[in-house]
Amino acid sequence: MIKIPKFGILLKLSVVFIITVLLTIGSATALWFSMIQPILQKNIILQQSQLGKRASEKTEEFLKAKLRALIIHSQSATFLTGNTELEKLELGIFLAQDQDIQTLTVINKEGRETIKIDRNSLLPIVDLLDRSNSPSFLANTFRYTKEFIGEAEFSENGEPSIVLSVPMKTPSGSGRLTQLSTQVQALLPGEGNEVFGVLEAKVSLKDLFAEITDLGLEDGTVILITDRKGRIIAHKDKALVNPTVVIDKYPPIKQHVETVNESPLAHTEEMVIFDYLNENNVKVIGSHTHVRETSWAIVVQQSAANYYADLNRVLNFATLLLLGGIGISIPFSFWLSKRITQPLRALTHGVNKISEGNFDYRINIHTHDELDEMAKAFNQMTEKLKDSIEKLKSDKDVIASEKGKLEIVLSGIDDAIVALDHETKIIFINTPAEKLTGYQNNKITGQKINTLLKIYNHNLEIPVATYCALNSTKMEGVIFEKKAVKIHSKGGKERYINIITGKIKSNQNNKVEYILTIHDITKNYELEEMKLDFVSMAAHELRTPLTSIIGYTQILLEETKSKLTKKYFDILEKTYHNAKKLSGLVDNLLSVSRIEKGTLKLQLMPLDLISLAAESIDDMENLLSSKRQTMIFNPLKSQEAWILGDKFRISEVFVNLIGNAINYTPEKGSIEISIKERANKYLVQIKDNGPGIPQEAIPKLFTKFYRASGGLEQSSKGTGLGLYICKSIISLHKGRIWVESESGKGTIVFFELSKLNNEGRKKYIKNISLPHTGAIIRNDNLLQS
Amino acid sequence: MKKILIVEDDTDISFIYARALKNAGYSVDQAEDGVLGLDKAEANLYDLILLDIMLPRATGIDILKEIRKPGSKAKGTPVYLLTNLAQDSIIQECFKIGAQGYMVKAQLSPDDVVKEIDAFFHKNPKQGV
């Protein structure tokens, strides 16, 4: 079963999706925020600076206006007359003109107040003070003749006012003012611009301050004025106006105090916004604007809450956006993942089902996308798989039934079957093979063939490579066949077998397989051996009495030649001949048994075919004459025909063939023997004019026990072994023997043997005079000890 | 006249060969078994002994060994085996022990045997002590 993984697509997709959304929205928000903030800040700055500017300008305007008025009035010619009443009048007009002025004072050159009128009192004040030390006087009369702006002062009621004064100067071009009399002052010619007094006004700041602190009232902005000492001299909240207390925990005020004493040029244009807590511990932001010409500053104080409110609004919006984004993205990503995982799960489920063996299962996905296609493809594959499996099943059934058949067939076979692979390792051996070799199939499979058995031909091992030729050109079919070989197996069991090796090409991998079919012929073989041994033994046994018979008969023939009648002598002769014949037959039997057993050995020596043939012919004379046949001998033109051969055996061939010719030729027939040269061979022909041999009989001529059926059957003698022996002997001499014959046209038997050249002959110079070399062996090496 | 001893248990064969040899001019003695043959061989010194292998009481090979023993009086007598056994191994063994020749009875007529013996004496005229 394929399990759903822990960190599935759903989780992965969702995480990725959410992270993406978060990142996107977050960065967007941060960006926006970072963009908004300075704007907001700028806004605030703008607001504050605007207000501050307005307030300070107003203040400046106010003061300037007052001063201007003062200056104008100070320049009135009235003050040059010395007429105090006129001056008072002047001042009175002035006072009436400007409601802010509370007190007007004239201070003379010496610093004494000369005239002083007050708004609140009708009469001129007679209490005239010495003002020689007051800054108002000093500022104007001391070296720098400048107008004077005093500090803010507060009355007992807390009403603010300010002292302003200007120097009174003689007009330019005019001289000093001289006191001519107590009431008359005369202006004498002089340089002019001479300060003869100070005109001082005490101006109420109440209205001004009220006006100023009312600015920005709407949005909770507080405007206050502070002086050089950091005192709040104007504030909406009257309680906070405290001329005696220095408040510098208000950073704008503090900054003002710190910078007020610096040169005016040091005042930078840049306004600094501070955020701090006001008297009520409310967060505020404020800045100060210096009022020119004075040591005052306008402090604009706004509720920080507004500013932060804006910021918060922005933040809240961003957060909302973020959360909204997450809120959408989570379900969306779930949905999206599901769209992917669901078909995948369906696929997995389908695979599981199919791998369990349910080939009819089909996957249903209808997402109209690639997953859909995948499902279709998968279903197709399943369909094909189903077909293949069904086909395989039916093939398997076929194989099983074939295997069953094969097993039945094999079990019915007696022969041992061994199946080998291309490396001659055993794949399978059947039951007869188990019995033959003494090994069991399930124990021996996988081992090489030579652990199972070994094959011998006449005690020489036939190597595996011979009977399982890997490189034989034949791809399939029988590649090796051998009859009557020995097999050695477990426990040293020796059996005689016929073996056939079949080669087949395996379908699976183009490798070959060998099938050894082993037919146990031990019984037969042993029987054959027994037969041969029996024949051999019998022949030996027969020989001894035969020799005696021949011997005795020969003696009789010699001794009784003149003592017997012809009739009886003939009988004796016939007896002798028959005994000889019998002996010949016994010899044949013995030869055959030796040939069959493979024990026939040739004693090779140089032989002259011509003299050998002549000898054999001589031996057969009697036979010839009794049938009144004629024999023609045609040797070569040359005197000798040397070959390498076993004298006894070649003689045997001659005797057999000539004998056959005589036997199968009727009376008065003729036989011709010729020896010819053919390239490096000698060809011997034995021709008769007998009845010939029919075509169909010719192939079987040289087989054992074959006897031609001709009209002379009855008189044909022999065991049918003669030609077989001849063929064996000629074959052993590496020669060829064959027959040409036609019914009614006589027979020619041919045999050819290789020539022996002079060098070969020299090797075999000894022992050339032995009559029958097979029978007599000399021990030449041994001299008399 | 050369003296030949035939050691052969088959009386027919023995007779036939003896007759043939006598006719050929040899003096022939016969012994029916190996022991008798050995006695005779030691008692008389022959020019040739024809020895069969298949004998009662002792095989021809044993006799041959006895004859060829250092102390034997017949030590130097030439021996031809005259037998039907034709195995190579036997032939080689006999030659090793010290036989001069080997003849397979069944394949030879008495005349052949006579011829061979003639040839032998012709080649080795001074046989015997």
Side-chain angles (χ1 to χ4, degrees), chain A residues 31-49:
Chain A
L31 194 70
W32 182 35
F33 194 80
S34 64
M35 279 175 13
I36 289 277
Q37 202 183 27
I39 292 175
L40 283 177
Q41 255 189 346
K42 265 205 189 127
N43 237 14
I44 298 285
I45 292 174
L46 202 66
Q47 271 184 350
Q48 293 221 331
S49 75

Side-chain angles (χ1 to χ4, degrees), chain A residues 375-393:
Chain A
K376 284 200 190 109
F378 203 84
N379 286 339
Q380 260 184 12
M381 182 182 79
T382 311
E383 189 75 39
K384 287 195 185 143
L385 200 63
K386 186 178 169 190
D387 287 342
S388 295
I389 298 241
E390 277 174 6
K391 184 166 182 299
L392 277 174
K393 274 196 190 141

